[in-house]
Structure formats: structure tokens, C-alpha cells
Amino acid sequence: MKHVKFGIKENHIFIMATMALIVLLYGYGSIAFAGFFSTQVFLNLFIDNAYLIIVATGLAFVIITGGIDLSVGALVAFISMVSASLLEAGVNGYLVMALSLLIGIAFGAFQGYFIYRFDLHPWIVTLAGMFLARGASFLISTDSIVITNDTYSAISQAKVYLIGDHYISIGAVVAIMVVAFAVYIAKWTRFGRNVYAIGGNVKSAALMGLPVKRTTILVYVFSGFCSALGGVVFTLYMLSGYGLHLLGMEMDAIAACVIGGILLTGGFGYLIGPTLGVMSMGIIQTIIMFQGTLSSWWTKIAVGFLLFVFILLQRLIVMKRRKRKVIRLKKVPSHVKVQSPSQSVSSEYK
């Protein structure tokens, strides 16, 4: 009789762990609070966090290449201010959205070019970008600008019905489309394969003839585009622009990537992961809202604890893979040249 073996691949452990966390949190909320187990409560996770899903998805590409983008939250706030001021001046709503996306693309290309051309650490360049975008927001106005544009108001109030009376917003639809597009280009395009190769080992990728410069710039362009798109969605959600919007939001996006299984050292991660990470954080926030007496800061405490757990999980699995590779290398004849076990994390996961 043939025995069928059941097991979980190590590559899927992070995603499985995040999905188990979502089931656990949602199950607890459903048992503890009346009305929590509701289709609309679940769909609200997408409505309330659409902008964060978009931004975290763009940021995931940067992290997979081994980089980081600290400017995403400031760029969202800057886009909200630009949009609000242009709409206040009477510019067409759709033209404002197009201009906002072009600003995000140009901003990302500028940062990506600096990082590659001058071999600067992404942390430094995007930190400067963060201050630049946040400061530029206050050049427009130091006060909050309320949006009364008819186009923005209509899109903000539009509902896409899914099941009966249950609905999601236009922003949530955009977020789902962005995630689907990101999953496609990461898995089935040459650009996606280049991103993982650069994240695994940039020197090896260059020796293989891969377009490191173009790919590096493009991931920051995509991150800038996603930040601008997230800014448009957030502006539709809030119907206002303010320079102090989303202070520290870049850390939420990074946390969503880590909880979703994106390796901070680059070279590994599934693009559905940031969405699952955002949902985990959203469920924690929803539980605290239903509880009613806890401060919203408990969300930060819970996310911090989860980050510790998932970073430890990442480290343990990487150490296990490297240990296994060292054992294999010892069995290879000495005259055969092989790659160092520390050279490529990406190849270990594929």
C-alpha cells in the first residue's frame, strides 16, 4: 500500500504562520464579542486598510531586493496635501489623481537613481526623501485642507456590493487589483525573477548579466507609484489633506511585510504576504475597538510582539538552511568550486 506523506515546505511556513495568526485572532474576536463574526466586519478590514495594503505591497519589492524605503508614509501625506490644494484651486479631480501618480513615479525614480548611481545606502536616501516629502507638505499649508470636490466625494461614497448588502469601497477594489498585479509580476515576469536574484546576491546577479541598475531603479519607481496611489486612496478615504497625516506609517508598512513573511535581508517573500500582515494588524485593531476600554496603543504593543516572533522565526529558518548547506558543501570534492553558503539566501528558499 502506497503511503501518502503530508508536510509543509519551509518556503510556505511564513505564509502558513500568518494565515494561522489571522484565523486565531478572528476566531478569538468572534467568540469574545457579539457581532464580530460578520461579513461586513471582515470586508471593513480591506476598506479601512486599503491604502496600507497598496503601500506595503510596493515596499515589499524594495525589501526583497535588500533595500528599504522610509519615505512611503511622508509621500502619502504629501500626496494628500497636493491633491487637496489642487482640488481647492479648481483642478479636475481625475487630472489631480494622474498628477499625483506622476509625482510618486518621479519621486521613486529620483531615489532609485541616487541609490544606484552613487552607491548610497537606501536607508540614508529614503530617510532624506522622508524629510523632503514631509517638509514639502507644510510648504503647501500648515493647516488641514478639507476636500469638497464632487468627483472625490462621489468616489469616496461609492460602494461595490459583493454579497447582499455587504460591500467594499473603490479604494479596497484598487488595493486588491494592485496585489493581484504584484503577485503576477513577481512570479511570472523576468522583472520579478531579477528582483529576487538581486535580493539573493547582487554581485552574483551582476556577474550573470542581469540588469541590476534598471531593476534597482524600477523597484523604487514601483514603490513611489504605490505610495502615490496609496496617497490617492487615503485622500479619498479621509477627504482631507494634512502634513501630519500617517506619522510613522512607514513602520506599519515594514511591519506588515515582516509579519507577511518578507525577509528583511532580501531575496525571499511572497507578494500576498504584506496583505496578510496588514489584515493581522487590522484584526488586532478591530478587537481593541470592540473591547472598548483598551487604548489604541495596545495595537502597537501587539504588533511589536508579533514582529519579535516573526523575526525570530525568520532567523531560525535561515540558520537551519545554512547549516544544511554547509553539511552538503563538506561532501563536495575539494577541487570543485562552489558558492559560499552565505552568498545567496534567495537560492536557499527556491
Side-chain angles (χ1 to χ4, degrees):
M1 182 178 176
K2 187 177 181 180
H3 295 280
V4 180
K5 292 183 179 179
F6 293 95
I8 301 173
K9 292 182 178 179
E10 286 184 354
N11 295 9
H12 301 153
I13 285 179
F14 297 120
I15 292 294
M16 297 293 288
T18 310
M19 291 180 71
L21 175 67
I22 290 173
V23 172
L24 187 66
L25 289 172
Y26 204 78
Y28 167 76
S30 302
I31 295 171
F33 307 107
F36 192 97
F37 188 74
S38 158
T39 303
Q40 193 56 55
V41 169
F42 181 77
L43 294 177
N44 285 345
L45 295 174
F46 291 93
I47 296 173
D48 297 335
N49 298 290
Y51 65 94
L52 184 55
I53 290 174
I54 295 169
V55 173
T57 301
L59 181 61
F61 276 94
V62 176
I63 295 177
I64 290 173
T65 61
I68 195 71
D69 189 348
L70 298 177
S71 67
V72 293
L75 187 54
V76 170
F78 179 64
I79 292 296
S80 77
M81 284 299 289
V82 170
S83 302
S85 60
L86 289 176
L87 292 169
E88 191 177 42
V91 180
N92 180 274
Y94 294 108
L95 180 59
V96 170
M97 292 180 200
L99 288 173
S100 299
L101 297 181
L102 287 176
I103 290 173
I105 291 171
F107 194 84
F110 177 75
Q111 291 192 128
Y113 177 78
F114 252 68
I115 289 168
Y116 184 84
R117 177 66 179 82
F118 300 103
D119 195 24
L120 296 170
H121 197 288
W123 193 90
I124 300 296
V125 175
T126 57
L127 180 67
M130 181 182 78
F131 284 115
L132 180 66
R134 188 70 72 178
S137 302
F138 291 99
L139 286 178
I140 299 171
S141 175
T142 55
D143 300 321
S144 174
I145 303 174
V146 178
I147 294 174
T148 56
N149 179 269
D150 292 339
T151 303
Y152 268 59
S153 297
I155 296 175
S156 175
Q157 295 168 10
K159 298 176 181 177
V160 179
Y161 289 94
L162 297 179
I163 308 170
D165 295 334
H166 306 300
Y167 63 90
I168 58 175
S169 64
I170 297 292
V173 174
V174 173
I176 293 169
M177 291 173 65
V178 168
V179 173
F181 178 69
V183 170
Y184 171 76
I185 62 175
K187 190 170 179 60
W188 285 289
T189 68
R190 182 175 297 177
F191 171 74
R193 290 192 291 274
N194 292 342
V195 168
Y196 283 95
I198 291 172
N201 189 303
V202 64
K203 291 182 180 178
S204 295
L207 289 172
M208 290 166 62
L210 299 181
V212 176
K213 176 182 178 181
R214 187 176 65 193
T215 306
T216 301
I217 294 175
L218 281 177
V219 293
Y220 284 94
V221 168
F222 188 67
S223 179
F225 170 79
C226 286
S227 298
L229 185 59
V232 171
V233 170
F234 180 75
T235 306
L236 288 167
Y237 181 69
M238 296 294 291
L239 283 180
S240 69
Y242 189 35
L244 291 179
H245 271 325
L246 299 175
L247 282 172
M249 181 255 195
E250 56 276 354
M251 295 304 166
D252 291 335
I254 294 171
C257 290
V258 173
I259 295 173
I262 306 293
L263 207 62
L264 281 175
T265 52
F268 175 78
Y270 294 105
L271 267 299
I272 191 67
T275 302
L276 299 177
V278 171
M279 289 182 66
S280 302
M281 295 160 61
I283 293 172
I284 293 171
Q285 197 165 13
T286 307
I287 288 174
I288 290 171
M289 287 174 59
F290 269 75
Q291 204 279 338
T293 59
L294 290 175
S295 164
S296 62
W297 285 104
W298 277 98
T299 305
K300 302 292 183 186
I301 294 171
V303 170
F305 175 76
L306 289 176
L307 277 176
F308 276 123
V309 172
F310 277 83
I311 288 173
L312 180 62
L313 179 64
Q314 287 186 5
R315 188 61 185 163
L316 288 174
I317 292 180
V318 169
M319 288 172 64
K320 185 179 177 183
R321 289 292 184 97
R322 286 180 174 168
K323 184 178 179 181
R324 191 184 306 162
K325 193 164 186 176
V326 168
I327 294 173
R328 286 204 305 269
L329 288 174
K330 287 180 179 178
K331 297 178 181 178
V332 177
S334 58
H335 64 278
V336 178
K337 290 185 178 180
V338 295
Q339 198 178 40
S340 165
S342 61
Q343 279 183 312
S344 174
V345 175
S346 172
S347 59
E348 293 174 352
Y349 277 92
K350 291 182 176 179

